[in-house]
Amino acid sequence: MVGTPPSNVLFVVLDTVRKDRLTPYGYDRPTTPELTAFAEEATVFESAVAPAPWTLPVHASMFTGRYPSQHGADQGSPYLDEVATLASILSAAGYDTACYSSNAWISPYTNLTRGFDDQDSFFEVMPGDLLSGPLAAAWQHVNDDDRLRELASRIVRIGAKAHARLASGESADSKTPAVVDRTKAFIEESDSERGWFGFVNLMDAHLPYHPPEEQRERFAPDVDPASVCQNSKEYNSGARRIDDEEWCEISALYDAEIAHMDAELGRLFDWLRETGRWEDTTVIVCSDHGELLGEHELYGHEFALYDELINVPLLVKHPSIDQGRRTDLVELLDLYHTTLDSLDADPADADRDALAIDPTRSLLSERYREFEESDASDPGQRAVADRDGSDTDYAFVEYARPVIELHHLEEKADEAGIDLPADHRAYSRMRAARGLEAKYVRADRIPDEGYRLDVDPEERSRLDATDDEAVADAERALARFEREVGGAWTDAEGDVESEDALADADGEMRDRLRDLGYLE
């Protein structure tokens, strides 16, 4: 360790934020002056890779140190199983823990808030107590019953519909100021001798975009949020066209949202400095995934594993990490080990199955990503360690077939009289191996995609593994990872059978589903 180890951790996720829209990463618009100042005393990672392109599996990976296929939290089963999380480990070790978020996926409903002593979802589909205890257990039971699986999918869609309604222009006041205020109150009230762990998710850069007036006047002064396409499924289904001018307007609103989050984050950072807590706090700032704004003819963060989605910003302040910029490969699931290492917490203290701290996965360790030396290797470690003479490191990404996005995409296509082909990318499951030079993506319904990122960072020229050795090496790494997690997704999934999903639901289950708002 260099200096005195901090006794607190502030872990901030800027939801849906692209790396190339932040000033510390070279963006030419001043969207993030506060992060720019923070970058001067932090480590800025250029090649941080998310394990999935959307919120739930990424957070589950950061909280458990596991890949999505290991922890299983996805739209098909949208909750985290009985494993220990960062919060449960740290709470058992005596730290005060809190989670404040305006993202509906980070709630008792998904078990992602398990272990936090205090939590609040400033976005709520329904009162918080309805998403915990017996009702959450009932939902999980329904989801796990194959005969009720379609019902489970339909319940998940309720959340998406509510999200679209509650995040509309009429009720889209930013929750970020309240999240920051609540975080400050938690820190001020913390009296643990060990310290505190505060997790914050800021949601403003997620569609739809309705930035506060101050930021809109600076970054999108002539743009009416109601006049541009705010529904990615309309565009991705082919029901709505967006020209270059409209893309510029959407992009300007996106910038304004990022600027708002940056200003509020600066308010929190300034308060930590003013109250003498800054030096004693490890600060982690990252995004869980990015956003496509017309690149690759896509909008949003579904149906693809392009770098705009998975190569995310990551800035870390800790005395054991040299300040400056790093270009080596980092995986977001490594933040589990890094956080525990920072606080010297023992995962064995938790009352559930927990991964031990692995120095080859901690950013604080001199052995970081020396996977050949790891004793408890995971699928990614084994896929890299068994590289047969190659010295290339890889990060791995997984994307299961979506439920909510696919449902809404089909809905928009149907309204426009469009028939989506069976080989549409929206029906595909995908995995990728992403190195510094090359990436290889395999899917079950669309052709594989290989790219030389060192010469084609925008992924415009698709390469076959037989045409380029670096792409071939990435494909071999992906194949090794696939073997470790149970095989490649080579067979297309069949369509979900339409059936009366309620046929086997008993009276108690029906009552609980009425409470959830699904039944009348």
Side-chain angles (χ1 to χ4, degrees):
M1 286 280 185
V2 178
T4 303
S7 58
N8 313 307
V9 170
L10 175 64
F11 194 140
V12 178
V13 172
L14 304 175
D15 206 293
T16 323
V17 168
R18 288 168 57 137
K19 186 181 76 172
D20 62 359
R21 293 307 179 96
L22 305 182
T23 319
Y25 287 95
Y27 194 38
D28 57 5
R29 301 191 83 189
T31 53
T32 53
E34 300 295 340
L35 278 182
T36 299
F38 174 61
E40 293 298 317
E41 52 185 314
T43 307
V44 180
F45 293 88
E46 300 278 1
S47 300
V49 179
W54 72 285
T55 294
L56 176 61
V58 174
H59 281 74
S61 290
M62 293 190 296
F63 286 179
T64 68
R66 294 168 165 88
Y67 287 100
S69 58
Q70 292 179 288
H71 60 62
D74 219 311
Q75 284 185 6
S77 297
Y79 54 85
L80 186 62
D81 283 333
E82 295 295 316
V83 296
T85 63
L86 276 177
S88 58
I89 294 167
L90 293 173
S91 182
Y95 289 88
D96 288 335
T97 60
C99 171
Y100 304 117
S101 166
S102 51
N103 190 309
W105 289 109
I106 305 170
S107 72
Y109 158 73
T110 60
N111 292 336
L112 284 184
T113 56
R114 179 193 298 139
F116 285 105
D117 302 322
D118 189 39
Q119 68 85 27
D120 198 339
S121 175
F122 288 79
F123 165 87
E124 290 204 357
V125 177
M126 58 193 74
D129 58 349
L130 290 180
L131 295 177
S132 59
L135 290 175
W139 191 93
Q140 182 167 323
H141 171 76
V142 172
N143 187 74
D144 287 342
D145 189 325
D146 289 340
R147 295 170 300 176
L148 304 179
R149 195 148 188 84
E150 171 61 13
L151 175 59
S153 296
R154 289 156 73 185
I155 294 174
V156 172
R157 293 167 194 159
I158 295 172
K161 290 178 181 291
H163 188 286
R165 175 174 54 82
L166 296 178
S168 66
E170 291 75 15
S171 59
D173 292 340
S174 172
K175 308 302 188 296
T176 292
V179 170
V180 168
D181 290 342
R182 189 69 175 271
T183 303
K184 289 167 58 178
F186 157 72
I187 294 170
E188 200 158 37
E189 294 167 6
S190 174
D191 57 5
S192 169
E193 294 182 359
R194 295 297 302 272
W196 50 264
F197 170 59
F199 179 83
V200 173
N201 176 291
L202 305 181
M203 190 71 171
D204 300 79
H206 193 288
L207 278 167
Y209 309 137
H210 294 277
E213 189 64 29
E214 179 182 352
Q215 282 76 25
R216 186 148 65 94
E217 287 181 357
R218 287 182 59 209
F219 291 92
D222 301 317
V223 181
D224 177 5
S227 69
V228 301
C229 180
Q230 297 263 26
N231 189 310
S232 62
K233 314 308 180 296
E234 289 182 345
Y235 176 79
N236 292 333
S237 68
R240 173 79 149 77
R241 294 183 61 84
I242 301 177
D243 60 23
D244 290 345
E245 181 180 357
E246 188 174 1
W247 278 125
C248 288
E249 294 176 337
I250 293 169
S251 179
L253 292 172
Y254 181 70
D255 286 348
E257 294 282 26
I258 293 173
H260 171 59
M261 288 191 292
D262 180 75
E264 288 298 311
L265 196 56
R267 184 165 67 89
L268 177 57
F269 287 176
D270 287 344
W271 178 81
L272 288 171
R273 295 184 183 99
E274 293 164 2
T275 57
R277 295 178 170 94
W278 185 249
E279 295 301 324
D280 201 26
T281 302
T282 296
V283 180
I284 299 170
V285 179
C286 68
S287 173
D288 53 348
H289 57 80
E291 188 83 334
L292 288 165
L293 299 171
E295 299 88 356
H296 314 286
E297 299 184 350
L298 289 169
Y299 188 11
H301 48 273
E302 307 95 22
F303 319 137
L305 298 181
Y306 295 113
D307 256 21
E308 290 91 347
L309 301 182
I310 65 166
N311 182 15
V312 296
L314 172 63
L315 302 90
V316 180
K317 180 184 78 72
H318 188 280
S320 290
I321 311 178
D322 292 336
Q323 297 172 6
R325 309 187 81 85
R326 280 176 50 172
T327 59
D328 56 315
L329 200 64
V330 174
E331 292 183 271
L332 287 192
L333 58 84
D334 297 339
L335 297 178
Y336 165 88
H337 300 273
T338 303
T339 300
L340 295 178
D341 196 9
S342 173
L343 297 177
D344 195 25
D346 187 355
D349 292 337
D351 61 355
R352 291 178 171 88
D353 178 39
L355 291 183
I357 300 174
D358 187 335
T360 70
R361 281 216 178 265
S362 170
L363 289 167
L364 310 185
S365 171
E366 294 180 355
R367 297 170 52 199
Y368 181 60
R369 296 191 73 83
E370 294 179 0
F371 291 156
E372 292 84 354
E373 301 179 12
S374 177
D375 295 327
S377 60
D378 61 41
Q381 290 172 319
R382 290 192 293 271
V384 171
D386 299 338
R387 47 194 164 191
D388 300 325
S390 170
D391 60 356
T392 304
D393 193 9
Y394 288 98
F396 300 97
V397 189
E398 301 184 286
Y399 182 48
R401 179 177 175 180
V403 176
I404 296 172
E405 286 77 12
L406 184 56
H407 168 73
H408 289 318
L409 186 82
E410 292 174 331
E411 207 170 46
K412 293 301 179 184
D414 185 63
E415 291 172 0
I418 296 170
D419 291 324
L420 296 177
D423 61 352
H424 191 283
R425 65 169 44 248
Y427 296 104
S428 291
R429 300 170 294 174
M430 303 177 190
R431 285 197 180 108
R434 201 272 189 194
L436 297 179
E437 290 187 356
K439 176 199 285 185
Y440 198 86
V441 181
R442 188 167 359 255
D444 61 359
R445 286 181 183 252
I446 60 176
D448 291 0
E449 298 179 67
Y451 299 100
R452 280 296 299 265
L453 300 176
D454 53 348
V455 296
D456 179 27
E458 295 180 345
E459 298 169 285
R460 293 184 175 181
S461 300
R462 185 179 301 181
L463 296 172
D464 190 85
T466 59
D467 298 330
D468 185 277
E469 180 53 33
V471 172
D473 192 68
E475 193 279 331
R476 288 191 292 268
L478 178 58
R480 293 193 298 272
F481 180 80
E482 289 169 328
R483 286 196 297 269
E484 293 290 343
V485 296
W489 283 334
T490 54
D491 297 324
E493 284 186 329
D495 295 330
V496 177
E497 292 291 333
S498 176
E499 58 180 305
D500 182 7
L502 283 173
D504 295 302
D506 58 23
E508 182 181 5
M509 183 67 67
R510 289 171 180 267
D511 289 341
R512 288 174 177 172
L513 293 174
R514 287 189 186 93
D515 290 335
L516 283 168
Y518 176 68
L519 297 177
E520 295 182 354

